[in-house]
Short mmCIF file of all heavy atoms in Angstrom, two decimals:
data_model
loop_
_atom_site.label_atom_id
_atom_site.label_comp_id
_atom_site.label_asym_id
_atom_site.label_seq_id
_atom_site.Cartn_x
_atom_site.Cartn_y
_atom_site.Cartn_z
N ARG K 1 -6.08 7.17 21.87
CA ARG K 1 -5.95 7.06 20.42
C ARG K 1 -4.50 6.74 20.09
O ARG K 1 -3.60 7.51 20.41
CB ARG K 1 -6.34 8.38 19.74
CG ARG K 1 -7.82 8.73 19.86
CD ARG K 1 -8.64 7.94 18.87
NE ARG K 1 -10.05 8.32 18.91
CZ ARG K 1 -10.98 7.82 18.11
NH1 ARG K 1 -10.63 6.89 17.22
NH2 ARG K 1 -12.23 8.20 18.19
N PRO K 2 -4.23 5.60 19.48
CA PRO K 2 -2.84 5.24 19.18
C PRO K 2 -2.16 6.30 18.32
O PRO K 2 -2.77 6.87 17.41
CB PRO K 2 -2.98 3.93 18.41
CG PRO K 2 -4.26 3.35 18.86
CD PRO K 2 -5.17 4.53 19.08
N PRO K 3 -0.88 6.59 18.60
CA PRO K 3 -0.13 7.55 17.81
C PRO K 3 0.37 6.94 16.50
O PRO K 3 1.39 7.35 15.96
CB PRO K 3 1.03 7.92 18.72
CG PRO K 3 1.27 6.68 19.52
CD PRO K 3 -0.09 6.06 19.73
N LEU K 4 -0.33 5.92 16.00
CA LEU K 4 0.03 5.23 14.77
C LEU K 4 -1.11 5.32 13.78
O LEU K 4 -2.28 5.37 14.16
CB LEU K 4 0.33 3.74 15.05
CG LEU K 4 1.37 3.39 16.10
CD1 LEU K 4 1.47 1.87 16.25
CD2 LEU K 4 2.73 3.98 15.76
N GLU K 5 -0.78 5.30 12.51
CA GLU K 5 -1.78 5.29 11.45
C GLU K 5 -1.74 3.95 10.73
O GLU K 5 -0.69 3.53 10.23
CB GLU K 5 -1.49 6.40 10.43
CG GLU K 5 -2.44 6.39 9.23
CD GLU K 5 -2.03 7.35 8.14
OE1 GLU K 5 -1.12 8.18 8.37
OE2 GLU K 5 -2.60 7.25 7.02
N LEU K 6 -2.88 3.25 10.71
CA LEU K 6 -2.97 2.02 9.94
C LEU K 6 -3.09 2.41 8.47
O LEU K 6 -4.13 2.89 8.01
CB LEU K 6 -4.18 1.19 10.38
CG LEU K 6 -4.44 -0.10 9.59
CD1 LEU K 6 -3.21 -0.98 9.54
CD2 LEU K 6 -5.63 -0.86 10.17
N ALA K 7 -2.01 2.20 7.72
CA ALA K 7 -1.96 2.64 6.33
C ALA K 7 -1.95 1.46 5.36
O ALA K 7 -2.63 1.48 4.33
CB ALA K 7 -0.73 3.51 6.10
N GLY K 8 -1.17 0.43 5.66
CA GLY K 8 -1.09 -0.74 4.80
C GLY K 8 -1.91 -1.88 5.38
O GLY K 8 -1.72 -2.25 6.54
N PHE K 9 -2.80 -2.45 4.61
CA PHE K 9 -3.73 -3.47 5.11
C PHE K 9 -3.75 -4.62 4.11
O PHE K 9 -4.10 -4.44 2.94
CB PHE K 9 -5.11 -2.85 5.26
CG PHE K 9 -6.08 -3.63 6.10
CD1 PHE K 9 -5.67 -4.60 7.00
CD2 PHE K 9 -7.45 -3.37 6.01
CE1 PHE K 9 -6.57 -5.30 7.78
CE2 PHE K 9 -8.37 -4.06 6.78
CZ PHE K 9 -7.93 -5.02 7.67
N TYR K 10 -3.36 -5.82 4.58
CA TYR K 10 -3.42 -7.02 3.76
C TYR K 10 -4.24 -8.06 4.50
O TYR K 10 -4.00 -8.32 5.69
CB TYR K 10 -2.02 -7.57 3.47
CG TYR K 10 -2.06 -8.93 2.81
CD1 TYR K 10 -2.29 -9.06 1.44
CD2 TYR K 10 -1.89 -10.10 3.56
CE1 TYR K 10 -2.34 -10.32 0.84
CE2 TYR K 10 -1.93 -11.35 2.97
CZ TYR K 10 -2.16 -11.45 1.61
OH TYR K 10 -2.24 -12.68 1.02
N VAL K 11 -5.21 -8.66 3.82
CA VAL K 11 -6.06 -9.69 4.42
C VAL K 11 -6.03 -10.91 3.50
O VAL K 11 -6.28 -10.80 2.30
CB VAL K 11 -7.50 -9.18 4.61
CG1 VAL K 11 -8.35 -10.26 5.28
CG2 VAL K 11 -7.52 -7.90 5.44
N ASP K 12 -5.75 -12.07 4.08
CA ASP K 12 -5.56 -13.28 3.29
C ASP K 12 -6.87 -13.99 2.96
O ASP K 12 -7.03 -14.53 1.86
CB ASP K 12 -4.64 -14.23 4.05
CG ASP K 12 -4.05 -15.33 3.16
OD1 ASP K 12 -3.71 -15.03 2.00
OD2 ASP K 12 -3.93 -16.47 3.62
N GLN K 13 -7.82 -14.00 3.91
CA GLN K 13 -9.07 -14.73 3.71
C GLN K 13 -10.27 -13.87 4.11
O GLN K 13 -10.18 -13.06 5.04
CB GLN K 13 -9.07 -16.02 4.54
CG GLN K 13 -7.99 -17.01 4.13
CD GLN K 13 -8.01 -18.28 4.96
OE1 GLN K 13 -8.80 -18.43 5.90
NE2 GLN K 13 -7.14 -19.22 4.62
N PHE K 14 -11.38 -14.07 3.40
CA PHE K 14 -12.59 -13.29 3.64
C PHE K 14 -13.77 -14.24 3.87
O PHE K 14 -14.48 -14.60 2.93
CB PHE K 14 -12.88 -12.37 2.45
CG PHE K 14 -11.81 -11.33 2.22
CD1 PHE K 14 -10.72 -11.62 1.40
CD2 PHE K 14 -11.88 -10.08 2.81
CE1 PHE K 14 -9.73 -10.68 1.17
CE2 PHE K 14 -10.90 -9.14 2.60
CZ PHE K 14 -9.81 -9.43 1.77
N PRO K 15 -13.99 -14.68 5.12
CA PRO K 15 -15.12 -15.57 5.40
C PRO K 15 -16.45 -14.83 5.26
O PRO K 15 -16.48 -13.60 5.06
CB PRO K 15 -14.86 -15.99 6.85
CG PRO K 15 -14.09 -14.85 7.44
CD PRO K 15 -13.22 -14.34 6.32
N ASP K 16 -17.53 -15.57 5.37
CA ASP K 16 -18.86 -14.96 5.22
C ASP K 16 -19.11 -13.86 6.24
O ASP K 16 -19.82 -12.88 5.94
CB ASP K 16 -19.95 -16.04 5.35
CG ASP K 16 -19.94 -17.02 4.20
OD1 ASP K 16 -19.38 -16.67 3.14
OD2 ASP K 16 -20.48 -18.13 4.34
N ASN K 17 -18.55 -13.99 7.43
CA ASN K 17 -18.74 -12.97 8.47
C ASN K 17 -17.55 -12.00 8.53
O ASN K 17 -17.21 -11.47 9.59
CB ASN K 17 -18.96 -13.62 9.83
CG ASN K 17 -17.87 -14.62 10.21
OD1 ASN K 17 -17.02 -14.96 9.38
ND2 ASN K 17 -17.88 -15.08 11.45
N ASP K 18 -16.93 -11.76 7.40
CA ASP K 18 -15.77 -10.86 7.30
C ASP K 18 -16.11 -9.45 7.76
O ASP K 18 -17.18 -8.92 7.46
CB ASP K 18 -15.28 -10.83 5.86
CG ASP K 18 -14.29 -9.70 5.62
OD1 ASP K 18 -13.21 -9.73 6.24
OD2 ASP K 18 -14.61 -8.78 4.84
N LEU K 19 -15.17 -8.84 8.49
CA LEU K 19 -15.31 -7.44 8.91
C LEU K 19 -14.27 -6.54 8.24
O LEU K 19 -14.34 -5.32 8.39
CB LEU K 19 -15.15 -7.34 10.44
CG LEU K 19 -16.22 -8.01 11.30
CD1 LEU K 19 -15.84 -7.91 12.77
CD2 LEU K 19 -17.58 -7.39 11.05
N ALA K 20 -13.32 -7.12 7.54
CA ALA K 20 -12.23 -6.31 6.97
C ALA K 20 -12.76 -5.29 5.97
O ALA K 20 -12.36 -4.12 5.99
CB ALA K 20 -11.21 -7.23 6.30
N ARG K 21 -13.64 -5.72 5.08
CA ARG K 21 -14.14 -4.81 4.05
C ARG K 21 -14.95 -3.68 4.67
O ARG K 21 -14.87 -2.52 4.23
CB ARG K 21 -14.99 -5.59 3.03
CG ARG K 21 -14.17 -6.58 2.19
CD ARG K 21 -15.02 -7.15 1.08
NE ARG K 21 -14.28 -8.06 0.21
CZ ARG K 21 -14.29 -9.38 0.31
NH1 ARG K 21 -15.00 -9.95 1.29
NH2 ARG K 21 -13.60 -10.14 -0.51
N GLU K 22 -15.75 -3.98 5.70
CA GLU K 22 -16.54 -2.93 6.36
C GLU K 22 -15.63 -1.93 7.04
O GLU K 22 -15.83 -0.72 6.95
CB GLU K 22 -17.49 -3.57 7.37
CG GLU K 22 -18.48 -2.59 8.00
CD GLU K 22 -17.90 -1.80 9.17
OE1 GLU K 22 -16.95 -2.31 9.82
OE2 GLU K 22 -18.37 -0.67 9.42
N ARG K 23 -14.58 -2.43 7.72
CA ARG K 23 -13.65 -1.52 8.39
C ARG K 23 -12.92 -0.65 7.36
O ARG K 23 -12.71 0.55 7.57
CB ARG K 23 -12.63 -2.31 9.21
CG ARG K 23 -13.20 -3.13 10.36
CD ARG K 23 -13.95 -2.29 11.37
NE ARG K 23 -14.19 -3.02 12.61
CZ ARG K 23 -15.30 -3.67 12.91
NH1 ARG K 23 -16.31 -3.71 12.03
NH2 ARG K 23 -15.44 -4.29 14.09
N ALA K 24 -12.52 -1.26 6.26
CA ALA K 24 -11.81 -0.50 5.22
C ALA K 24 -12.70 0.58 4.63
O ALA K 24 -12.25 1.73 4.41
CB ALA K 24 -11.34 -1.46 4.13
N GLN K 25 -13.95 0.25 4.38
CA GLN K 25 -14.86 1.24 3.80
C GLN K 25 -15.14 2.38 4.78
O GLN K 25 -15.13 3.56 4.42
CB GLN K 25 -16.17 0.57 3.40
CG GLN K 25 -17.17 1.52 2.73
CD GLN K 25 -18.44 0.80 2.31
OE1 GLN K 25 -18.71 -0.32 2.73
NE2 GLN K 25 -19.23 1.44 1.47
N ARG K 26 -15.37 2.02 6.04
CA ARG K 26 -15.73 3.04 7.04
C ARG K 26 -14.57 3.98 7.32
O ARG K 26 -14.78 5.17 7.60
CB ARG K 26 -16.17 2.33 8.33
CG ARG K 26 -16.47 3.25 9.49
CD ARG K 26 -17.58 2.69 10.37
NE ARG K 26 -17.30 1.35 10.82
CZ ARG K 26 -16.79 1.04 12.03
NH1 ARG K 26 -16.48 2.02 12.87
NH2 ARG K 26 -16.60 -0.21 12.38
N HIS K 27 -13.34 3.48 7.22
CA HIS K 27 -12.18 4.30 7.56
C HIS K 27 -11.36 4.71 6.33
O HIS K 27 -10.23 5.15 6.47
CB HIS K 27 -11.29 3.56 8.56
CG HIS K 27 -11.94 3.38 9.90
ND1 HIS K 27 -11.87 4.33 10.89
CD2 HIS K 27 -12.69 2.36 10.41
CE1 HIS K 27 -12.52 3.91 11.96
NE2 HIS K 27 -13.03 2.71 11.70
N ASN K 28 -11.95 4.55 5.14
CA ASN K 28 -11.28 4.93 3.90
C ASN K 28 -9.90 4.30 3.83
O ASN K 28 -8.88 4.95 3.56
CB ASN K 28 -11.17 6.46 3.78
CG ASN K 28 -10.80 6.91 2.38
OD1 ASN K 28 -11.09 6.22 1.39
ND2 ASN K 28 -10.13 8.05 2.28
N LEU K 29 -9.86 3.00 4.06
CA LEU K 29 -8.61 2.24 4.13
C LEU K 29 -8.56 1.25 2.99
O LEU K 29 -9.51 0.51 2.74
CB LEU K 29 -8.56 1.50 5.47
CG LEU K 29 -7.35 0.63 5.78
CD1 LEU K 29 -6.09 1.47 5.89
CD2 LEU K 29 -7.58 -0.14 7.09
N LYS K 30 -7.45 1.23 2.29
CA LYS K 30 -7.30 0.33 1.14
C LYS K 30 -6.77 -1.03 1.60
O LYS K 30 -5.82 -1.11 2.39
CB LYS K 30 -6.35 0.92 0.11
CG LYS K 30 -6.16 0.05 -1.13
CD LYS K 30 -5.27 0.73 -2.16
CE LYS K 30 -5.08 -0.15 -3.38
NZ LYS K 30 -4.23 0.50 -4.41
#
């Protein structure tokens, strides 16, 4: 388990098969 916390998340493009939103929702990540 990385000793880092992913806190800031910026995504430039959201294709039809995007996973960013799912990952953000599952991990309570903005």
Side-chain angles (χ1 to χ4, degrees):
R1 293 281 184 178
L4 306 178
E5 176 189 349
L6 177 53
F9 196 19
Y10 171 80
V11 182
D12 197 39
Q13 297 180 357
F14 297 88
D16 292 340
N17 54 351
D18 167 63
L19 295 176
R21 293 188 178 97
E22 187 278 334
R23 297 301 194 264
Q25 182 178 14
R26 176 147 54 99
H27 293 274
N28 194 27
L29 180 65
K30 182 177 179 179

